[in-house]
Amino acid sequence: MHRNIWPVRLALITLIATGIMTTASGAPRQESIVVDTSFVEEAMHRGALIWDVRSQNTYLRGHIPGAINIDDITDVLRNPRTQEYIAVSEMERILGEAGIDASREIVVYSGKARPDAYFGYITLRYLGADNVTIYHGGIDDWKDAGNPVDMNLVALPPATFNANPNEDLLVTTREVVAKLDDPSVQIV
């Protein structure tokens, strides 16, 4: 089933604003899904996977050392005509070939405050990844902190990405439209 992802922004903003973030098992997550440079440095030491979701051309002009890239996530994981996610099986293949494993700690980043990092986060959460954070400051804060950048393509060994889609995480355009006249629903 293809899900319309435009409402993802609404869902993500609601989750962030209300602080209702739990792991798949229902256990509370860390206080914030949005992390800073020192968190990313520590995550790298823990062996976290760092995912740069920018275009490959931009990535090759400088990225966090060790970060992987599959090109512009908003182009690769959505149908360009409908703006809906591509099939889950195709996302599993693409992410797995890039070495992304849903069971690992994953830090997603882009340019500072870019929505594609949030799209990466919500996509991973939708697919069942449980330990995902967003480096909001992205490559800009990384460089401003005086950290090194790499200009080479990083290739990890392929992984098996086993998606466990959480259909409750996303809403369809049809579902949003159906609630427009419902006074008990607030759409932000």
Side-chain angles (χ1 to χ4, degrees), residues 46-122:
R46 289 190 301 271
L49 190 147
I50 311 299
W51 184 15
D52 184 323
V53 298
R54 300 175 299 158
S55 73
Q56 190 170 68
N57 287 337
T58 305
Y59 165 84
L60 291 173
R61 288 196 296 262
H63 60 84
I64 294 174
I68 58 129
N69 178 266
I70 64 168
D71 208 355
D72 184 335
I73 185 177
T74 61
D75 291 339
V76 174
L77 298 182
R78 324 188 280 193
N79 178 315
R81 196 171 49 78
T82 65
Q83 298 303 305
E84 294 178 350
Y85 279 125
I86 60 176
V88 169
S89 60
E90 187 66 6
M91 288 193 283
E92 285 177 317
R93 183 190 64 74
I94 292 167
L95 296 173
E97 286 178 357
I100 299 174
D101 178 346
S103 68
R104 287 186 62 186
E105 177 182 7
I106 304 169
V107 178
V108 181
Y109 81 93
S110 183
K112 187 170 191 160
R114 299 283 307 158
D116 47 347
Y118 291 82
F119 178 80
Y121 169 84
I122 203 72

Side-chain angles (χ1 to χ4, degrees), residues 2 18 21 30 33 36 40 42 49 68 71 87 92 99 106 113-114 122-123 127 145 147 158 162 167 174 184 188:
H2 293 286
T18 60
M21 299 302 300
Q30 66 183 53
I33 61 166
D36 61 12
V40 176
E42 293 166 10
L49 190 147
I68 58 129
D71 208 355
E92 285 177 317
I106 304 169
R114 299 283 307 158
I122 203 72
T123 299
L127 293 173
N147 287 316
N162 292 314
E167 298 292 342
R174 179 175 290 148
S184 68
V188 181

